[in-house]
Amino acid sequence: MIHYKYIIPVLLCLLASCGKGKFHVNGEITNAKDSVLYFEHNGLDGFKVLDSVKLDTDGKFNFTGNQADNPEFYRLRIAGQIINLAIDSTETVEVKASYPLMATNYELGKSYENEKIRELALRQIELQTQCQAVANNPSISADSSLTVINSLIEQYKLDVSRNYIYKEPMKAYAYFALFQYIVINNNARLIFNPRENAGDIKVFGAVATNWDTFYPNSERGQNLHNIAIQGMKDQRIVKSNSQPLNIDASKVVNSGLIDIALMDNKGKIRRLSDLKGKVVMLDFHVFSTGSESTKRIMSMRDLYNKYHDRGFEIYQVSLDNNEHFWKTQTANLPWISVFDPDGIDSHNIVNYNVHTAPTFFLIDRNNVLQKRDVQIENLDAEIQAML
């Protein structure tokens, strides 16, 4: 005899499992026989493969997922070809594409949000092509190239913010637009970057406010608020005035400086004091300041290449809040690059009285802090004198 007390929990479990609806993504991708098509979730912590299929001659596929409480983002991917999708219900999204150009050559069924995302993706690709063409033009100087690229990006931002983001800030495609980026000479650059541009903070804030209304307590809405707040903090750092060398003497150790011990981009703890015997540039840097960061890194490369063999070293502290972004930006740098997980709230910038980024200091071979940037008129001459 079966007791009801055993049946009821089973029924409740079945009802709970059926409480969430399902969405479907299906269609066909031609010219892709034997290719593996991945269906991936674009979460706040990166991409995660949900399912995959090896395509046959007809290229048909069908993926299923659980409905979320707010719009979520997914992508179809074969190698580097990507189709971005947003899903906020139990809808069925139909996709027809042709490989190997499926990122630009695809059609959608009746899906308003995804059609808008398609428009934004194609416009992003067009912007990418224009900017790279400018960067590759040998008749344009580096400074002029940067000016033209910045102008192209500003035009794009003005148009997209007006006709997409502010038009319907509660929509998934408005959220999608906030995180678009381009890659120029293998360097990724966010199009909307609240850590670099005060106006972009307002754009993030507009979408965040609307997501609070339509999708209260969602992680994505909170993430938008956090990004906007962090952007305001970074703006205060970048815009603040430089201060003269004014280090709290009580915190200086016997070596003549305040020691720093942080993890470098290879996973090793690096101590500033371990560099005794070298002339060291201690540099506090924010890589997400875009073009300003790129120009500065190029200048530092020149210094490093010129003086490293004579005993010059750079110990660069990143104040960025995105560790993955920092690792990407520093992967090919030859000097010591460490990440401060506390960012602008770090005790290290308090100890060194840092009020703006970038800020650097020169340390002599005896580990004695000598000067900060605002006290230096000729950096080459100062380094040579210490060497």
Side-chain angles (χ1 to χ4, degrees), residues 112-145:
Y112 175 75
E113 290 272 25
N114 287 303
E115 187 55 45
K116 290 293 185 182
I117 287 177
R118 179 179 182 276
E119 292 176 15
L120 286 164
L122 293 177
R123 298 190 64 174
Q124 176 187 1
I125 292 171
E126 182 182 4
L127 175 65
Q128 165 83 55
T129 302
Q130 291 174 337
C131 290
Q132 190 61 62
V134 173
N136 292 342
N137 192 331
S139 65
I140 304 177
S141 68
D143 288 342
S144 297
S145 174

Side-chain angles (χ1 to χ4, degrees), residues 280-281 361-364 368-371 376 379 382 386:
V280 179
M281 172 187 281
F361 301 82
L362 286 183
I363 301 167
D364 67 20
V368 176
L369 194 66
Q370 293 293 339
K371 293 184 178 181
I376 298 171
L379 182 54
E382 292 285 354
M386 291 184 189

Side-chain angles (χ1 to χ4, degrees), residues 27-41:
E28 60 185 53
I29 299 178
T30 59
N31 301 322
K33 184 179 183 298
D34 294 330
S35 296
V36 177
L37 175 66
Y38 294 94
F39 181 55
E40 300 173 329
H41 176 231

Side-chain angles (χ1 to χ4, degrees), residues 2 49 61 127 154-155 200 212 217 242 287 296 301 303 356 371 381:
I2 300 176
V49 176
F61 63 90
L127 175 65
E154 286 304 313
Q155 292 174 31
D200 294 348
D212 282 346
N217 303 317
S242 299
F287 285 89
R296 178 167 170 72
R301 272 188 181 275
L303 285 173
T356 183
K371 293 184 178 181

Side-chain angles (χ1 to χ4, degrees), residues 194-195 198 200-206 208 221-236 321:
R195 303 190 65 180
D200 294 348
I201 297 174
K202 298 178 181 179
V203 180
F204 269 78
Q222 186 57 54
N223 184 54
L224 293 177
H225 280 295
N226 291 340
I227 292 172
I229 292 169
Q230 187 65 49
M232 288 187 282
K233 288 181 179 179
D234 291 342
Q235 285 294 307
R236 286 198 292 269
N321 73 338

Side-chain angles (χ1 to χ4, degrees), residues 26-93:
N26 57 41
E28 60 185 53
I29 299 178
T30 59
N31 301 322
K33 184 179 183 298
D34 294 330
S35 296
V36 177
L37 175 66
Y38 294 94
F39 181 55
E40 300 173 329
H41 176 231
N42 182 2
L44 293 178
D45 56 351
F47 292 97
K48 178 182 178 181
V49 176
L50 300 180
D51 202 352
S52 64
V53 63
K54 186 175 182 180
L55 297 175
D56 292 331
T57 304
D58 60 11
K60 293 186 181 301
F61 63 90
N62 187 355
F63 297 120
T64 301
N66 293 321
Q67 176 191 10
D69 295 327
N70 55 267
E72 278 299 330
F73 298 87
Y74 304 87
R75 69 181 189 179
L76 297 170
R77 179 177 64 85
I78 298 178
Q81 289 288 303
I82 294 167
I83 296 175
N84 292 291
L85 302 170
I87 298 173
D88 65 352
S89 67
T90 56
E91 65 182 316
T92 296
V93 178

